[in-house]
Amino acid sequence: MRRCCQGVGLPCLFKGVGMAGARPPRFLLVFDFDETIVDENSDDSVVRGRALPERLRQSPRGGAYNEHMRRVLAFLGEQGVRPAELRAAYENIPLAPGMAELFQFLSKHQELFELVLISDANTFGIDAKLRAAGVRALFRKVFSNPASFDRRGVLTLGPYHSHKCPRCPANMCKRKILGEYLAERAREDAEFQRVFYVGDGANDFCPAGTLRAADVAFPRKGYPMHRLIQESQEKQPGAFQAAVVPWESAAEVARYLQEQLRRKC
């Protein structure tokens, strides 16, 4: 007679009727980076304490921001800021409250959760921070603006892609990235029972709008993603289909996910 694994403190790994068809439940967990995994905007972290010319002090909004950061990074390189200094700046960005606890939980349940990161920051900074935090191996894919050092040691930044979404900056639409990733995984016969999305910004609201009723959006409490979800629910009840679980500490996300695993038996 089959015993439920919850009795020994583990999530249930049984699916279907018999042992032959047993497969672990599969969940996709999508993360943003700035002010989600880390507790500040990584672009601000890189320039903190450095004197910028007037033309670079005010960052533009919308699609021009990627181009603005390209100019900022070029200026820093021209001023002699070396790769090691930039790497250290990214590595030293603090994690958001409770994020270490969430990663500890996910590291114990890697067979259940597939992690991807979608961010409008840059690949170099994200990779540096994730490796410093010891969590890079948890992520199957990182989608961000490409960044690499040229022969002069200047960190060059590019746009991630082009798209036609009117809500998103010209260099990145997270909705498009998430949709393409889900389609790719479906072709590889990966079926996700639920999608969980952890974010904070206005550009996280766009992909979260594609989540189904079974999915969960985790907006950081009081940040733009949270406010936009609240506004959409007030203007058009039911239009935002996913369950909404705001968080102040990522430990709240870990506790929610743990509870979902307990309910599987």
Side-chain angles (χ1 to χ4, degrees), residues 34-188:
D34 288 332
E35 297 184 295
T36 297
I37 288 179
V38 292
D39 203 27
E40 55 191 46
N41 186 310
S42 59
D43 293 332
D44 294 339
S45 305
V46 169
V47 301
R48 184 175 294 119
R50 307 184 191 278
L52 295 178
E54 182 62 34
R55 61 186 172 83
L56 296 177
R57 287 178 191 168
Q58 297 298 323
S59 59
R61 296 185 178 276
Y65 186 77
N66 182 259
E67 296 177 8
H68 167 75
M69 279 309 300
R70 202 178 311 167
R71 292 191 290 270
V72 168
L73 292 171
F75 174 79
L76 294 179
E78 293 164 0
Q79 296 302 302
V81 178
R82 303 329 309 157
E85 295 177 69
L86 290 177
R87 179 178 293 278
Y90 287 114
E91 290 176 342
N92 290 327
I93 303 172
L95 292 174
M99 193 57 62
E101 183 175 334
L102 175 56
F103 283 139
Q104 288 172 1
F105 166 79
L106 293 170
S107 70
K108 296 176 182 177
H109 299 285
Q110 294 183 54
E111 76 283 5
L112 301 177
F113 294 95
E114 181 167 300
L115 274 59
V116 298
L117 192 158
I118 308 176
S119 168
D120 198 13
N122 69 77
T123 55
F124 173 78
I126 290 172
D127 188 73
K129 181 58 193 178
L130 294 183
R131 291 186 185 281
V135 297
R136 179 61 183 88
L138 293 179
F139 289 87
R140 185 176 186 271
K141 285 282 186 74
V142 171
F143 301 94
S144 191
N145 300 303
S148 59
F149 290 96
D150 63 17
R151 294 178 180 178
R152 302 168 297 162
V154 174
L155 185 59
T156 61
L157 178 67
Y160 179 77
H161 63 186
S162 61
H163 61 86
K164 297 180 181 179
C165 177
R167 296 192 221 33
C168 294
N171 64 295
M172 175 172 286
C173 173
K174 295 186 177 184
R175 176 192 289 250
K176 180 179 180 181
I177 294 171
L178 178 57
E180 291 176 347
Y181 184 76
L182 288 170
E184 173 192 320
R185 297 297 283 131
R187 290 192 296 270
E188 298 168 347

